[in-house]
Amino acid sequence: MRILFKIALFSILLYLTLDIGIRSEEKAARPIVQAIGGLSLLLVSWYNLKCWLQGLVIHKLWSFIKLWRIFVGILLLYYSLSFLNVPTDYADSSPRNMVIAIYIFAVTLFFYYGTVFRHLNTRLLNLVILMVLINGVFEVYYAISFAQIKRGVEVINTSAGYKFLMILPLLLYRYKKYNIWVFVLTLILTMMTGKRGALVIYIVLTLYGIYNYKWIAKTFKLDWKVIVFLSLVVIGYLFFMESAYQSLEHRLLTLEDSKRGSIGSGRNIIWGTLVMAWYNADLIPFYFGHGFYATSAIEGHIAHNDFIEFLVDMGVFVLLLYSAILFMFYKNIKRFKTRNHYLYMLLLFCLFIWCGRAFIAGTIRTDQIILSISMGYLLAIQTKQRLYGQ
């Protein structure tokens, strides 16, 4: 089991590195990345199955997992129906989104089981954190090095901002004695990326963190490591002011565009078009959707919003199911609020990030695996404290 876990973990890190860490114009390498992703999914699923057979049933404690599993099953059903052009001929039969949806769910279970069964030790956890941060920093470096010139400004815009955001809850637990500096450092890194959606979510997290400051302060510690974190914060800030400040200013000032819409990248136009397509649809598409990821055929883009995406693709009932998953996640973690308020706060951070990403960008994306890592690990820590008093 331990060997299988390590091999599967290595495959996840390799897939993340190749798929979202390495930037290349070589399209020929894409099938290799997909093959590694497929092999990784098989290894992760095999490990999860062996853990499940040993009697650790996650949904007994976390009921939202059962709803999430049903949701993934419905996605698989709609993907299968897409080959028959059902419910409509707008349905997309490309397998990528289906595989990613399964992978995101499987990785959450993988890190949950790995942590509970102690296959994920501190050294491996540090390796995961390091690889995610290296990938994110490399992507920022690449974006700065090849910034596009718009209106005389070198504009930086990379999804690495979501990487730093989604690994944040795990970092705040792993380095909870230095949580303030960790938060500021990842915020600065996210500011460098120019990713406006990630910064909006950071604002929400900041406000909630201020509201819960006494719980954050309880874990805070002053020692020589603070100097290290503070030095990184200062270096990061100076680098941001030198290389990325003008870009972020430009990105914020051009949030509203008369040609592309009043929400970044024309999202309000995309959302409005798709909602009207659903509203004006016949009875079957209205209640059961237009088919698996039909939004691309309807509007020319995916929705960049889970709630609209799933409403248009699979109808009212599946949208309610997806919303129920998020609500049950909150209900599940709230039970343990008094036991460990700091851990509850970090799991709520995960929910804020999940909901924020769902509203702004959509969550069936490769980098969402990073949030799966944070969620799976923190849910397992809460389980160990609940069941074993650790």
Side-chain angles (χ1 to χ4, degrees):
M1 286 284 286
R2 193 176 297 275
I3 294 176
L4 176 59
F5 176 84
K6 290 181 179 180
I7 295 173
L9 179 64
F10 174 77
S11 71
I12 293 172
L13 296 179
L14 180 61
Y15 175 61
L16 286 174
T17 300
L18 293 177
D19 194 71
I20 59 178
I22 295 177
R23 292 297 178 183
S24 172
E25 299 299 326
E26 295 293 332
K27 300 298 183 183
R30 196 71 197 164
I32 298 176
V33 176
Q34 292 172 344
I36 292 173
L39 176 60
S40 177
L41 178 56
L42 290 175
L43 290 169
V44 168
S45 300
W46 183 17
Y47 175 82
N48 289 342
L49 178 60
K50 289 176 73 70
C51 290
W52 179 75
L53 291 174
Q54 290 194 13
L56 183 60
V57 182
I58 182 173
H59 65 249
K60 287 184 177 180
L61 192 60
W62 307 105
S63 57
F64 82 94
I65 290 291
K66 183 183 294 185
L67 296 179
W68 194 359
R69 185 183 294 119
I70 294 171
F71 175 76
V72 173
I74 292 175
L75 283 180
L76 184 58
L77 173 63
Y78 269 79
Y79 171 68
S80 302
L81 293 174
S82 69
F83 291 95
L84 303 174
N85 293 327
V86 175
T88 74
D89 55 6
Y90 287 126
D92 181 12
S93 58
S94 172
R96 177 174 171 77
N97 288 326
M98 186 67 253
V99 173
I100 291 175
I102 296 173
Y103 203 163
I104 290 168
F105 179 69
V107 169
T108 304
L109 299 184
F110 177 78
F111 275 85
Y112 178 86
Y113 287 135
T115 304
V116 171
F117 283 116
R118 300 180 182 177
H119 296 150
L120 181 67
N121 56 36
T122 302
R123 184 164 50 185
L124 289 175
L125 179 62
N126 289 339
L127 175 63
V128 171
I129 292 172
L130 180 63
M131 290 300 297
V132 171
L133 292 178
I134 287 177
N135 284 346
V137 170
F138 179 85
E139 192 166 331
V140 172
Y141 170 77
Y142 183 92
I144 291 175
S145 300
F146 298 94
Q148 295 181 338
I149 305 298
K150 296 182 179 179
R151 301 181 186 178
V153 178
E154 291 187 343
V155 178
I156 303 164
N157 179 21
T158 167
S159 60
Y162 285 115
K163 296 181 187 180
F164 301 126
L165 177 65
M166 289 187 285
I167 199 65
L168 175 64
L170 176 54
L171 290 175
L172 291 176
Y173 185 82
R174 177 68 183 87
Y175 305 105
K176 54 188 172 184
K177 294 179 181 179
Y178 317 101
N179 46 34
I180 294 177
W181 308 120
V182 169
F183 188 93
V184 174
L185 179 59
T186 54
L187 174 58
I188 292 172
L189 289 170
T190 303
M191 290 166 63
M192 288 185 192
T193 70
K195 189 53 67 176
R196 295 171 298 202
L199 290 174
V200 170
I201 300 172
Y202 256 104
I203 291 174
V204 175
L205 299 184
T206 300
L207 294 175
Y208 184 73
I210 293 173
Y211 179 76
N212 289 273
Y213 178 76
K214 67 176 182 178
W215 301 101
I216 296 174
K218 282 184 177 181
T219 63
F220 192 73
K221 184 177 180 180
L222 290 173
D223 58 22
W224 65 271
K225 293 181 182 178
V226 170
I227 299 175
V228 175
F229 280 104
L230 187 57
S231 299
L232 291 173
V233 168
V234 172
I235 293 171
Y237 177 76
L238 293 176
F239 188 79
F240 163 74
M241 293 300 296
E242 176 67 24
S243 304
Y245 174 75
Q246 285 188 326
S247 171
L248 179 61
E249 184 180 41
H250 173 83
R251 293 273 295 157
L252 294 176
L253 292 176
T254 56
L255 180 64
E256 183 172 349
D257 191 307
S258 58
K259 295 181 179 179
R260 302 180 68 186
S262 58
I263 299 178
S265 303
R267 278 172 169 77
N268 64 318
I269 295 176
I270 296 172
W271 296 345
T273 302
L274 291 173
V275 169
M276 289 307 298
W278 165 77
Y279 183 77
N280 294 321
D282 295 333
L283 191 64
I284 290 179
F286 184 88
Y287 286 103
F288 300 101
H290 289 80
F292 187 77
Y293 270 83
T295 51
S296 294
I298 294 173
E299 203 277 336
H301 304 84
I302 61 172
H304 298 284
N305 179 304
D306 277 351
F307 304 100
I308 295 175
E309 185 73 55
F310 300 143
L311 175 65
V312 174
D313 293 345
M314 294 172 286
V316 177
F317 301 114
V318 176
L319 173 62
L320 292 175
L321 174 62
Y322 182 72
S323 302
I325 295 170
L326 300 175
F327 177 73
M328 286 306 300
F329 182 91
Y330 170 71
K331 293 287 287 184
N332 286 173
I333 64 175
K334 188 179 179 181
R335 292 176 300 167
F336 306 108
K337 182 177 180 179
T338 56
R339 180 181 294 271
N340 187 330
H341 194 284
Y342 185 73
L343 185 55
Y344 160 78
M345 184 182 72
L346 297 184
L347 284 168
L348 201 56
F349 271 25
C350 290
L351 181 59
F352 287 151
I353 295 167
W354 188 351
C355 291
R357 189 93 191 279
F359 181 78
I360 295 170
T363 58
I364 310 298
R365 296 171 178 265
T366 304
D367 57 4
Q368 188 75 7
I369 294 169
I370 296 173
L371 184 60
S372 294
I373 294 171
S374 291
M375 280 177 48
Y377 179 79
L378 293 175
L379 288 171
I381 294 298
Q382 183 66 82
T383 298
K384 291 171 71 175
Q385 292 184 359
R386 170 68 174 84
L387 298 180
Y388 311 120
Q390 298 179 4

